Structure formats: structure tokens, C-alpha cells
Amino acid sequence: MNMKTLAEMLGLSQTTVSRALNGHSDVAEATRRRVEEAAVKLGYRPNASAQRLATGRAGAIGLILPANSDRLMNPHFLEFIAGLGTHLIRKEFDIVLIPVELQDEMRAYERIISSRQVDALVLSMPTLADERIPLLTRRGMPFILHGRTRSNVPHAWLDVDNEGAFRRATRHLLQLGHERIALANGPAGYTYTHHREKGYRDALAEYGIAPDPALISNSDLTDMTGYAIADGWLSLKAPPTAILTSAVTMAMGISRAIRSRGLTLGRDVSMVAHDDVFPYLNPQTMIPSLTTTQSSLRAAGSRIGELLLEMLEGRDPGSIGELWPVPLILGDSTGPAPQ
Amino acid sequence: MNMKTLAEMLGLSQTTVSRALNGHSDVAEATRRRVEEAAVKLGYRPNASAQRLATGRAGAIGLILPANSDRLMNPHFLEFIAGLGTHLIRKEFDIVLIPVELQDEMRAYERIISSRQVDALVLSMPTLADERIPLLTRRGMPFILHGRTRSNVPHAWLDVDNEGAFRRATRHLLQLGHERIALANGPAGYTYTHHREKGYRDALAEYGIAPDPALISNSDLTDMTGYAIADGWLSLKAPPTAILTSAVTMAMGISRAIRSRGLTLGRDVSMVAHDDVFPYLNPQTMIPSLTTTQSSLRAAGSRIGELLLEMLEGRDPGSIGELWPVPLILGDSTGPAPQ
DNA sequence: TTCCACATCCGAAGCGCTTCGGATACCTGC
DNA sequence: GCAGGTATCCGAAGCGCTTCGGATGTGGAA
């Protein structure tokens, strides 16, 4: 069943049927109703590809995946996608997952732009000097950045206040009397990693404490690396009395390392973790409950979906920029520094 | 840059360019190379919508999401999608996520079929008498079922041996001397839930034990419900000495309930959990390590992606049917029944 | 030399939709 | 009774690609 035969059955032109279905004003109300009813009854649905070809709109937004296939689908990414879906999917927008090899990243972007496969892109994990922003801007491909970068080109972005969050978390530990505070951060190079380290350093500086490079690590945010790193720190002559970490998954490994040395989390060692709010990992119900800096990846994804739709309806990307505050939620994993 | 101008620049017809790019045999090797080089140099990429319209192939496979928006994207689903992605994405197949309201589910399927938005569907969470199978078969929409159903229509499917897994797990507990064994299963109505309960009942029957309805629960597979259910069981006059559960997330809640009553997992209460293998939740590293029946959702998704591609290349769906064995992996969460 | 198979290329029709630029009929007000 | 406005409808030309059914030229067999 295509539009042509539908039109024939109704004794109308294809033009009229098309305009009726798309809600144009130059078709009589009675006709529109007749067309709509027939469409429902006969199970007519426009062919998506034809519609896209004719309108030039792809009806899809793209999400670039760093295609290092192992980490291709890590829980953080998936959680973000889940959020993105909530709005887009209702507007019949597809989400196209586009894997990109890191070596020829820029070429991949060129390809995506010229295939017109998507109407807009979501960029994740920006670096401080991200070269994708000028490229996409120059080529006129709409996009929204999840995170921030140093760039003078106006563009749409949404980020959480990582710097403020880690500053506050570090201060909290300092106020409890901790002086050797370690930071288990994400991979180096990304803006969020940089911001978190900056917040941490700033707070230390306020208290006149020089950061110890041995207590700062950059790695993947997994349980396993969390264990390994914490185990290393706890075997130092002067082990840290508190640990700051960038992910709850990592916190699980860290707390295992603490326990396996016969130490108690929240008494012998304190910990604050950044919580991206996974529905299946609730740090509040862990034992002991975790002190966290909390920001929902899913909520960010959802909002980005909304903003994307606004952009495609004409909103100026330069007017879009949101910095979300990150609350510090106290749990039992932080306590006074041991004497 | 479209194919027409590319052809003009090369002094060739559009036909030849198309056939060169698509690897047809009736174009000279030298010409093909010339075309390919020009395409790369000029950054030409075929327009996806046009290609789809012309070929009638959507280049996408659909995944129906039960659109109860809260659980729309639960970790099990996401993990499955991650697997599905690994193969499809390399073949330039999009994954289109299609949310469906439960009340008018069948209508939604009709819509998807007639819009020709996808080349094939993946069906999840089948019930025993799943009406989607006859519908899709009748309408000629290719699909593959993740799970099983009672149906005499030949169709493609892939499932894990839930029944065997739970039979073996229950036997293991029985051999350790447990007699009051509880089952925290998934929502009623689904085939996998049914199979798991059947395996459990069969093993009990082998040992001449009548199942106690009070010790069988059906619910969502979350941490929170796990806690609530286990807490209820442990407050019975005759509490179970062992618990079987359908998910690691649930096991986390259950083990919290056990601990919060001052009991020890693996000594006072034993537990076996079904592990869908989330990369961020490793039951082997939990304390104590969990005894699990293990099957990777991601691996299943990945294989289904492969099979889907084979089907679209002509393989008979009736010839596709895989039942995966599920190993029982011993950990420290199961021990002899207390006297 | 003639015929035919083979390799290589091309014209034009179509995939199913949208939309520009009218066409038609009817209704105002003068 | 007529010009101009308004409400409805339609023909036909695309959108960018694939593919059917030839057309052309070459070399070897007869």
C-alpha cells in the first residue's frame, strides 16, 4: 500500500493526499478526515526512505562511538543513550550509532556529513582542543556537545560542573582532617578529567597542600582498575587516608581493595565517588553507603535530545549552553581522618 | 556532491559509476579504480535515503522496546543491544529502537511492517503463546526470536537453556542438603520465567520435595525488590536455607537482606544467581563470590546480529534455532545446609 | 570475410514521497 | 454582471540512487 494507490482509491490526487496527511492548510477539513480514516483503515504508512529522500531530512540523529570495540559500549555510554532515546524516539527520530576508528576520526566525520545519514550529531567526550567543533561548524552540520572544550566558535553544549563537584568533594575531605587524598580519575586528555583534577587541585591549594603526583591516577573507570590502583596506594609507606574517584564502578573495586587489607571504608579510609546514577547501582544502598557527587547521565542525555529537536526546528545553537550543578550527597564512606 | 556530478566529472554515465561503486562485474577494472579514487578524493558518499528507496532495503534492523518508559531501557536490554551492535554496525546496518505501548502492541507491529522502516526485527521476551510470531510470519516480515515460544510456525530463534540451568542449580543445592529452597524469579508470563521455574520444580521433584508456593516469587529483577523479597522470606517461621535468583542485580539486594539480619551468605543462607554477564558487575569478585548460572546477554545479541545478516542474505529462517548451554559456576555463596 | 560471444558502457524508467506553480469553482462587493 | 479573493485541488518535476534492456566495439572461430 503506497500513497499512489491510496490516492486512487479515494479518487484524489497524490498531492492532496500528501498535503492532507501532513496537515497543510489548503485541503478541506472533510477531505482530510476522509484521507486520514482511509489511511488508518487500509494500514497505510508512508515509506520512510522516500520521505527522507524527498524532504532531505534524515529523521535521525547520530551518536559517534569511539570504536575501540571493547569499550564501544560501556555502561556510561549506554546510560547516556537511554536518556537520549526518551525524547527522540517519541518524535520518530532514529538514533543511529556510528562507530568511528580513532586513527581516521576526522575522515569518518567527513563521511558522515556527506552521506547525509543524520540531521545532527551528538559529540561526547570532548578534549580541551577538540578539532571536531571547527570541522562540523565549517561544514554546517548541526551538533551538540556533551561536555565542554576551549573554543571560540559558538556552538551548543551541555555539561555538568565537574570542577565544582570535585572541588567541593575535596574540601569535604579536607574539612574532615584528611591531608593525603588520592584521585582515581578517568583517562587523561578529556575535558571532564581535566576539570575534575582542577577542582581537586584548587581545593588542596586552598588548604596549602601540594598535590602528590603519586596519588593521582588516570585510567579506565572499571572495577578492576579501581582495585589495582587502590591496592597500590594502600601499599605505600604513606598511604592516602581518603580517595576520590570518578565512577561508582571504580569505587566498587576500591572498596574491595580496602576490605581485603582488613581496613574499613569510612573509618580507616574515606572515599567520595562520582555517581552517574545507574539505575542498577545505587551507592546509597551499599554498605557503607557512599558519599557521592551525583549527576545523572540519563537526564543529561534526555535533555540533549530535547535541545537537539529545538535546534532542528530553528533554534540558534549559539544560544544553547547549560552547566548543571552537581550536588554532594553525604554517605557513610567519609569520616574523620584517622590520627 | 552527488553521483550525477561525480559521473559528469569523470565523463562516465551514472550507471557505470553506480555499478563500479557497487562492485558489479560488467565494468572494467581500470574504470572501477578510477571511479573509486575520484570518489575518495572528492569525498563522495552515496545518499543513504536514496539508496534505500531505490533498493527497497532499509539497511536497518528494528528492536522493539516494551515502552513502559521506566523500564524502557533496563540494563538487560542495553546489554543485549550492545551485543547486537557489534556485528550489525560493521555492515552499516542501523539499529532502530522502536518503543511500543503495551496496549496496542499488535497495531504497532502492523505499522512497523507497512512503513518498511526496517528489514527485519528482533523479538525479545516472548510469552509461551506469543501472537507476534504468526502475525509477522503472515506479513512476511523477517524476524528472529530471542527466547522461545510454543509455536508450530517455523521461525528463527536463539535461546539459552534456562530450564537446564535452573535444574542443575537446584540440584546443586539439594545435594548440599538444602530442602527449603526459594526461587526469586522474573515477571510471570514470559517463557524464560516459566522455563526457570520448571527446571527448579523438576529438580525438587527428583528429590521428592513438594514446592512451597510461599517460596516462589515473581517480580522485577532489581536490587530493591530483591531486598524486599528476601527480607520477607527470612522473616518466615521456617525461612529458606537457600535462594535461587534470576539476576545478579537482584542477588545484590538479597545479599544485603541476608547481611542486615546478621546472617552470612554461603554459611547460613546459600544463593545461586543467574548471571547475564554485565561487564561492570562481576559476581566472581563479590564477597563472597557468587555461585552462578552464567550466560552472556551480549554474546547472544551478537550472535543474533550475525544470524540476522545471514537471513537477509537468504538463509532459511526455519533452519535457524540455537539452544545455548548454561554452565554452573561454583562460588562461595553456596555451602552445606545448616543443621 | 562473416558471425557470434564477450567485455564494457549507457539511456531511461522507476523507487515513493514532497512541493511549486498553476487550475477550477465559488463567493464577495461594487 | 464582473473583477478580484478565497478555498480546494491537481500535474508534473524533482530528491539521488539502482537496474533493465540494450548499444557498441573487440577478437577469435568458422
Side-chain angles (χ1 to χ4, degrees):
Chain A
M1 169 60 62
N2 58 18
M3 184 180 279
K4 190 174 167 201
T5 72
L6 211 211
E8 277 164 8
M9 298 182 75
L10 284 164
L12 287 169
S13 78
Q14 206 176 315
T15 304
T16 304
V17 172
S18 170
R19 300 186 76 79
L21 257 19
N22 289 317
H24 287 241
S25 62
D26 62 349
V27 33
E29 190 48 39
T31 312
R32 143 159 326 108
R33 230 187 327 267
R34 202 158 67 89
V35 172
E36 270 165 4
E37 278 163 14
V40 169
K41 187 146 57 69
L42 300 171
Y44 167 75
R45 279 251 101 195
N47 177 306
S49 304
Q51 220 160 13
R52 289 170 183 184
L53 177 57
T55 59
R57 272 172 266 122
I61 72 103
L63 186 60
I64 306 290
L65 302 178
N68 188 324
S69 84
D70 256 14
R71 51 160 85 165
L72 183 132
M73 294 277 197
N74 68 55
H76 296 85
F77 235 107
L78 290 173
E79 191 59 19
F80 179 77
I81 294 174
L84 202 56
T86 57
H87 283 286
L88 294 179
I89 250 168
R90 302 241 153 90
K91 294 281 183 173
E92 310 239 312
F93 264 75
D94 296 349
I95 298 175
V96 180
L97 307 180
I98 307 170
V100 161
E101 301 289 342
L102 286 178
Q103 55 264 41
D104 61 356
E105 202 180 353
M106 287 304 127
R107 189 124 42 87
Y109 279 91
E110 297 274 7
R111 174 169 62 77
I112 292 155
I113 294 168
S114 36
S115 80
R116 261 159 239 305
Q117 204 181 358
V118 298
D119 294 318
L121 287 176
V122 176
L123 299 187
S124 292
M125 308 274 280
T127 60
L128 280 171
D130 205 299
E131 36 178 350
R132 300 173 298 177
I133 280 92
L135 170 66
L136 294 175
T137 306
R138 184 156 21 91
R139 300 289 303 268
M141 165 65 86
F143 69 92
I144 183 164
L145 184 66
H146 180 212
R148 269 176 296 168
T149 182
R150 283 189 192 129
S151 168
N152 37 16
V153 193
H155 64 270
W157 58 273
L158 183 150
D159 198 6
V160 298
D161 185 9
N162 285 303
E163 185 179 328
F166 273 56
R167 188 184 310 115
R168 191 184 306 175
T170 309
R171 270 193 206 136
H172 169 61
L173 293 169
L174 289 161
Q175 283 158 3
L176 287 169
H178 294 274
E179 298 189 338
R180 288 190 61 71
I181 302 173
L183 172 65
N185 209 345
Y190 297 113
T191 307
Y192 81 92
T193 305
H194 174 81
H195 280 160
R196 289 177 182 179
E197 182 170 330
K198 179 156 193 312
Y200 160 80
R201 285 174 179 273
D202 285 357
L204 288 184
E206 288 172 8
Y207 279 67
I209 295 179
D212 178 351
L215 296 185
I216 299 180
S217 87
N218 292 99
S219 73
D220 282 347
L221 302 172
T222 69
D223 178 286
M224 270 132 28
T225 56
Y227 180 89
I229 290 167
D231 196 60
W233 279 334
L234 295 176
S235 70
L236 293 175
K237 307 109 253 159
T241 62
I243 300 178
L244 230 50
T245 175
S246 262
V248 171
T249 45
M250 205 163 206
M252 291 171 69
I254 293 173
S255 77
R256 221 172 47 250
I258 291 171
R259 224 182 316 165
S260 72
R261 290 198 168 247
L263 301 173
T264 299
L265 178 60
R267 201 189 59 197
D268 304 314
V269 184
S270 287
M271 174 162 69
V272 182
H274 183 76
D275 177 18
D276 290 302
V277 193
F278 298 98
Y280 41 86
L281 270 188
N282 188 341
Q284 260 93 270
T285 64
M286 291 178 180
I287 300 178
S289 64
L290 260 42
T291 296
T292 57
T293 53
Q294 178 183 292
S295 73
S296 162
L297 264 179
R298 190 179 289 232
S302 170
R303 177 66 180 145
I304 283 181
E306 259 181 347
L307 292 172
L308 232 17
L309 291 174
E310 290 180 15
M311 275 175 57
L312 293 177
E313 278 166 6
R315 176 162 175 198
D316 170 28
S319 76
I320 297 175
E322 298 189 1
L323 184 63
W324 289 12
V326 180
L328 179 69
I329 297 181
L330 292 184
D332 300 326
S333 68
T334 45
Q339 298 312 327
Chain B
M1 170 60 61
N2 58 20
M3 184 180 280
K4 192 174 167 202
T5 72
L6 211 211
E8 277 163 7
M9 297 183 76
L10 284 164
L12 287 169
S13 78
Q14 205 175 316
T15 304
T16 304
V17 171
S18 170
R19 299 185 77 80
L21 257 19
N22 289 317
H24 287 242
S25 62
D26 62 351
V27 31
E29 190 47 39
T31 311
R32 143 160 327 108
R33 227 185 333 262
R34 202 158 67 89
V35 172
E36 271 166 2
E37 278 162 15
V40 169
K41 187 147 57 72
L42 299 171
Y44 166 76
R45 278 254 103 196
N47 177 306
S49 303
Q51 220 161 13
R52 288 169 184 184
L53 177 57
T55 58
R57 273 173 265 122
I61 74 101
L63 187 60
I64 307 289
L65 302 178
N68 188 324
S69 84
D70 255 14
R71 50 161 86 165
L72 183 132
M73 295 275 196
N74 69 54
H76 297 86
F77 236 107
L78 291 175
E79 192 58 19
F80 180 77
I81 294 174
L84 202 56
T86 56
H87 283 286
L88 294 179
I89 253 170
R90 304 244 151 88
K91 294 280 186 176
E92 309 240 310
F93 264 75
D94 296 349
I95 297 175
V96 181
L97 307 179
I98 308 170
V100 161
E101 301 290 342
L102 286 177
Q103 56 264 41
D104 61 356
E105 200 182 354
M106 285 306 127
R107 189 125 41 87
Y109 279 91
E110 297 273 8
R111 173 169 63 76
I112 292 155
I113 293 168
S114 36
S115 79
R116 259 161 241 305
Q117 205 182 357
V118 298
D119 293 319
L121 287 175
V122 176
L123 261 45
S124 291
M125 308 274 280
T127 61
L128 279 171
D130 204 298
E131 36 178 350
R132 301 173 297 178
I133 279 92
L135 170 66
L136 295 175
T137 306
R138 186 157 19 91
R139 301 288 303 269
M141 164 65 88
F143 70 93
I144 184 163
L145 184 66
H146 180 211
R148 270 176 296 167
T149 181
R150 282 189 192 130
S151 169
N152 37 16
V153 193
H155 64 270
W157 58 273
L158 183 150
D159 197 7
V160 300
D161 185 10
N162 285 303
E163 185 179 329
F166 273 57
R167 187 185 308 116
R168 192 182 308 173
T170 309
R171 270 192 205 136
H172 168 62
L173 292 169
L174 289 161
Q175 283 158 3
L176 288 168
H178 294 275
E179 297 189 340
R180 287 189 63 68
I181 302 174
L183 172 65
N185 209 344
Y190 297 113
T191 306
Y192 80 91
T193 306
H194 175 81
H195 280 159
R196 289 177 183 180
E197 183 170 330
K198 179 156 193 312
Y200 160 81
R201 284 175 180 274
D202 284 357
L204 288 184
E206 288 171 9
Y207 280 67
I209 295 178
D212 178 351
L215 295 185
I216 298 180
S217 87
N218 290 99
S219 73
D220 282 346
L221 302 172
T222 69
D223 178 286
M224 270 134 27
T225 56
Y227 181 90
I229 289 167
D231 195 61
W233 280 334
L234 294 176
S235 69
L236 294 174
K237 307 107 251 162
T241 62
I243 299 177
L244 230 49
T245 177
S246 262
V248 170
T249 46
M250 206 164 205
M252 290 171 68
I254 293 172
S255 75
R256 223 173 43 251
I258 291 170
R259 225 181 316 165
S260 72
R261 291 197 167 249
L263 301 173
T264 299
L265 178 61
R267 200 188 59 197
D268 304 313
V269 184
S270 286
M271 175 163 68
V272 182
H274 183 76
D275 176 17
D276 290 302
V277 193
F278 298 99
Y280 41 85
L281 270 188
N282 188 340
Q284 261 92 269
T285 64
M286 291 180 181
I287 301 179
S289 63
L290 260 43
T291 296
T292 57
T293 54
Q294 177 183 293
S295 73
S296 162
L297 265 180
R298 189 178 287 229
S302 170
R303 177 68 181 144
I304 282 180
E306 261 182 343
L307 292 171
L308 231 17
L309 292 175
E310 290 180 15
M311 274 174 59
L312 293 178
E313 279 167 6
R315 176 163 174 194
D316 170 28
S319 76
I320 297 176
E322 297 188 1
L323 184 62
W324 289 11
V326 180
L328 178 68
I329 296 182
L330 293 184
D332 300 326
S333 69
T334 46
Q339 298 312 328

